[in-house]
Amino acid sequence: MLARARRLAGVTVVLACLVAAGPAAAAPTRTTGMADDRYCEYLVVTGTLPKLVADVWNTYGLNDCPPALWKASDVNALKTEFGAVAVQLNGPRHWLMDSASIRLANGLGQVRSFNGLRMRRIATVQVPITNGVPGAAPYTQVTVNRRNTFAWKRGRRVFELLAPGGTVYLMQAYAQIVDPMQTLAKLPTLGARLKLPAGWRYRSRVLKAPLALTTTGRATVLQDDLQDTYQLERR
């Protein structure tokens, strides 16, 4: 029982920045001026192994995840409140795109206050299981059900992972979880700090034209070993 609790408490699901949508979804909401905006999430896990589901509660659009309120998050109290087997504090994180158009599935979107920290329920996602343990290893692809468009302006600096064979993943958000001192200004040289798999490369470039990533139902995402999140850009 103790081992199971430890596995669940250590859940590091690739859910950050993943806005899921079901077959029936509300009209899309477009947000602009997002670059380097800060947000945080609670990942509320219910169910039993190997079938675990995480509700994603997100601060974006409600507040910028005030540090004092985030530090006051009480995981045990949240588990009791939700009747959850685990609650993961996921953040702080910062968006990198300029704008996003997102469809929330019907039944989502409710707002609650947790000890003063307001959050919106934005997704319900199946928790991936790797070798019997909840979560996905770094640099491992995860498929997420969602409908959205992330857009970057011409002249914006972007950050990418290049896998062997030419597959490219574009960073959509950086994390201050493993490294609380991470900033946008440090991302151009991030590659020197990453423990990349053999044959992988990290690069930074300035866009010569606008770039948009659109998903119509399924998105492929992964995280690096600092929990920064990327979406598949092209194969």
Side-chain angles (χ1 to χ4, degrees), residues 188-201:
T189 58
L190 178 66
R193 301 177 54 212
L194 296 177
K195 299 176 182 177
L196 295 169
W200 288 59
R201 293 191 297 119

Side-chain angles (χ1 to χ4, degrees), residues 20-200:
T29 299
R30 186 168 186 268
T31 305
T32 60
M34 296 176 66
D36 211 22
D37 279 357
R38 171 185 160 113
Y39 69 97
C40 300
E41 292 178 329
Y42 291 156
L43 310 180
V44 181
V45 181
T46 56
T48 56
L49 284 169
K51 296 182 179 180
L52 298 174
V53 176
D55 278 349
V56 183
W57 291 82
N58 185 294
T59 63
Y60 193 69
L62 299 171
N63 56 73
D64 61 357
C65 185
L69 291 178
W70 182 245
K71 290 178 182 178
S73 297
D74 186 332
V75 170
N76 290 327
L78 289 167
K79 285 172 60 178
T80 299
E81 181 174 351
F82 283 107
V85 295
V87 173
Q88 178 80 18
L89 304 184
N90 187 32
R93 293 182 175 275
H94 292 251
W95 294 115
L96 290 176
M97 71 287 292
D98 288 287
S99 64
S101 179
I102 296 171
R103 287 178 180 266
L104 286 182
N106 288 339
L108 298 177
Q110 59 266 51
V111 175
R112 289 177 61 173
S113 178
F114 303 99
N115 196 28
L117 183 61
R118 298 181 73 217
M119 287 188 160
R120 178 180 289 109
R121 182 171 172 257
I122 63 168
T124 298
V125 186
Q126 295 292 324
V127 177
I129 305 296
T130 304
N131 297 323
V133 177
Y139 307 102
T140 300
Q141 290 189 165
V142 174
T143 299
V144 179
N145 298 320
R146 73 180 184 197
R147 298 171 184 170
N148 69 274
T149 296
F150 292 152
W152 287 257
K153 296 179 180 178
R154 177 180 179 272
R156 177 71 65 189
R157 182 170 292 279
V158 296
F159 311 97
E160 297 167 316
L161 289 176
L162 285 69
T167 302
V168 181
Y169 303 90
L170 179 63
M171 191 188 295
Q172 62 186 42
Y174 70 87
Q176 294 176 318
I177 301 170
V178 178
D179 178 8
M181 303 306 293
Q182 184 66 281
T183 64
L184 178 60
K186 295 179 180 179
L187 294 183
T189 58
L190 178 66
R193 301 177 54 212
L194 296 177
K195 299 176 182 177
L196 295 169
W200 288 59

Side-chain angles (χ1 to χ4, degrees), residues 213-234:
L213 297 184
T214 298
T215 60
T216 57
R218 296 170 72 84
T220 300
V221 300
L222 57 74
Q223 289 185 346
D224 61 29
D225 48 285
L226 295 180
Q227 296 188 33
D228 308 306
T229 307
Y230 304 73
Q231 180 172 315
L232 177 65
E233 181 180 346
R234 63 180 182 274

